Amino acid sequence: MPLEVLLRAGSDVANWHGTGMGVMEMSHRGAAFGDILERTLADVREVLGVPANFDILFMQGGGLAHNAIAPMNLLGKPKAIGAPKADFVVSGSWSHKSSVEAQRYGDVHVAFNGKSTQFKTVADATDWQLRQQTDYVHLCSNETIDGVEFSTLPDLSALGIDAPLVVDCSSHIASRSIEWHKIGLAFAGAQKNLGPAGVTLAFVRQDLTDRAMAICPSAFEYKTIAANNSMFNTPPTNAIYIVGLVFEWLKSQGGLAAIEANNLVKANTLYQAIDGSSFYSNDIDVAWRSRMNVPFKLANEALNDAFLAQAKTAGLLQLKGHKSVGGMRASIYNAMPLTGVQALVAFMQQFEQQHA
Ligand SMILES: *Cc1c(COP(=O)(O)O)cnc(C)c1O
């Protein structure tokens, strides 16, 4: 989280704009929260360049609930006879999870699986085994754990597939420009780049809001949420308010283009330090390396605990890699300044000198 946002949220917590109430205490139907919601929606649309034919929805349940919400909303009117179909591009552990959950709702086919190459790369889209009859194609545009990011999205219509692309962009939303023209549905839990846990943003192309399965709960049905302006039930008001502060902060930083340029410098700084040393390594195909989540390993893994302990002493926290892949991971989300990455690199070089 940007420090400015935390400080502002803290000073507003008991008294928002002189109302004598914090956002958590307001009625979600009142004028004050109505203003917050409208302003946040407008800023999200402006900063992310969301086209007018997309609804922006504030939902709950996080990214994982969306692994069920997306199929329940898109598989109700299958194109072909038989079970509805969903094709998955498995480029890491999040898209794998999504493909497993979707099996509850339809016939799932894995069109590409990076597991055989340890999720180090993704094949060219022309080599994916997509089905003509699929009702949608799912991918995760930034694999948070594996550190694999799409620098450009596939154009399904150019591949001859007449189906919407569903994108889990939880861990890199608002870090780079978005190719909306290739997307049917995008979703992101807020807690990586947009604010606190508890609110999920869904971006739904309006022609896709009438495809829900009958079993889809009303509170998770895009059509219902859109018709009620994200207030079918009480929305996570305080989380939405803080997302609004994050978007104000994004604007103050110069918007998406400026943030993207900064993220590129941050990522290059860290990857150059890793590649320039034989003490550290990242073996993801260079074209698929994530700008947000940089996993790396120490050549001598026996030093992992010492690395983490000394990093902590240096004020560098949360560097332990996910347990499924081990090693280290630097998550350098939007709010991490370049100086933070430079401090990490300086620490890594010092640690290497001590232990090499
Ligand atoms: C963190 C993350 C999620 C998890 O979402 P929850 O909010 O914990 O349900 C889903 N997808 C990706 C890519 C993530 O990074």
Side-chain angles (χ1 to χ4, degrees):
M1 296 285 291
L3 184 60
E4 297 95 308
V5 169
L6 292 176
L7 295 175
R8 173 79 186 282
S11 73
D12 283 354
V13 73
N15 186 2
W16 180 83
H17 291 203
T19 53
M21 304 180 274
V23 176
M24 284 180 268
E25 300 172 294
M26 292 172 182
S27 163
H28 65 288
R29 307 270 172 212
F33 184 72
D35 280 358
I36 290 171
L37 184 72
E38 285 312 315
R39 199 147 13 99
T40 303
L41 278 171
D43 283 349
V44 172
R45 198 174 283 284
E46 180 191 331
V47 171
L48 301 183
V50 185
N53 65 330
F54 277 75
D55 287 325
I56 303 171
L57 310 178
F58 293 113
M59 299 181 69
Q60 299 181 61
L64 285 188
H66 239 86
N67 287 341
I69 293 170
M72 281 194 292
N73 274 279
L74 295 178
L75 295 180
K77 292 188 180 165
K79 283 202 299 210
I81 303 163
K85 296 176 179 58
D87 284 11
F88 283 74
V89 179
V90 175
S91 57
S93 41
W94 284 113
S95 47
H96 169 69
K97 263 190 189 170
S98 304
S99 72
V100 172
E101 183 75 6
Q103 290 168 11
R104 294 168 178 241
Y105 305 101
D107 165 15
V108 164
H109 165 71
V110 175
F112 167 77
N113 196 339
K115 195 172 168 98
S116 54
T117 49
Q118 290 83 49
F119 299 127
K120 305 280 181 246
T121 190
V122 179
D124 194 85
T126 52
D127 292 328
W128 301 346
Q129 307 297 309
L130 296 168
R131 296 179 295 186
Q132 291 287 336
Q133 307 285 27
T134 195
D135 291 296
Y136 71 86
V137 178
H138 174 113
L139 60 80
C140 173
S141 50
N142 184 62
E143 287 282 359
T144 323
I145 292 171
D146 306 275
V148 172
E149 181 173 16
F150 281 78
S151 59
T152 183
L153 294 174
D155 184 341
L156 293 184
S157 56
L159 293 167
I161 304 296
D162 177 23
L165 182 66
V166 173
V167 181
D168 175 0
C169 56
S170 294
S171 55
H172 76 162
I173 187 167
S175 72
R176 60 189 305 151
S177 64
I178 303 171
E179 298 168 290
W180 290 110
H181 62 288
K182 296 176 178 174
I183 295 174
L185 162 68
F187 65 84
Q191 69 267 28
K192 309 283 167 45
N193 247 348
L194 299 182
V199 62
T200 310
L201 274 76
F203 304 87
V204 191
R205 215 175 59 209
Q206 283 153 357
D207 62 294
L208 301 176
T209 51
D210 65 347
R211 299 187 183 187
M213 299 171 75
I215 58 159
C216 183
S218 306
F220 290 148
E221 193 177 40
Y222 297 142
K223 196 169 153 182
T224 308
I225 308 299
N228 290 279
N229 199 24
S230 295
M231 291 212 280
F232 171 72
N233 63 331
T234 311
T237 50
N238 200 59
I240 291 171
Y241 153 70
I242 296 176
V243 168
L245 295 182
V246 169
F247 274 91
E248 274 180 33
W249 175 82
L250 285 166
K251 291 208 293 190
S252 76
Q253 300 299 298
L256 215 49
I259 287 286
E260 178 165 7
N262 194 43
N263 284 332
L264 198 53
V265 176
K266 283 157 51 186
N268 285 341
T269 301
L270 186 48
Y271 283 117
Q272 271 167 24
I274 293 168
D275 291 344
S277 132
S278 51
F279 193 81
Y280 303 105
S281 65
N282 167 293
D283 56 1
I284 305 298
D285 181 353
V286 172
W288 289 91
R289 281 176 163 178
S290 169
R291 294 177 186 172
M292 290 282 101
N293 307 98
V294 181
F296 61 93
K297 287 206 154 89
L298 276 61
N300 178 1
E301 297 231 271
L303 291 171
N304 282 355
D305 288 346
F307 181 91
L308 288 167
Q310 289 183 36
K312 190 175 173 197
T313 308
L316 299 160
L317 309 179
Q318 311 204 74
L319 285 164
K320 195 177 166 106
H322 191 272
K323 59 183 185 305
S324 62
V325 292
M328 308 296 154
R329 175 176 50 164
S331 287
I332 49 175
Y333 295 120
N334 282 348
M336 175 58 69
L338 176 58
T339 50
V341 175
Q342 289 165 334
L344 173 61
V345 166
F347 167 77
M348 288 166 68
Q349 288 167 348
Q350 184 207 327
F351 187 86
E352 176 174 355
Q353 276 161 22
Q354 263 173 29
H355 294 94

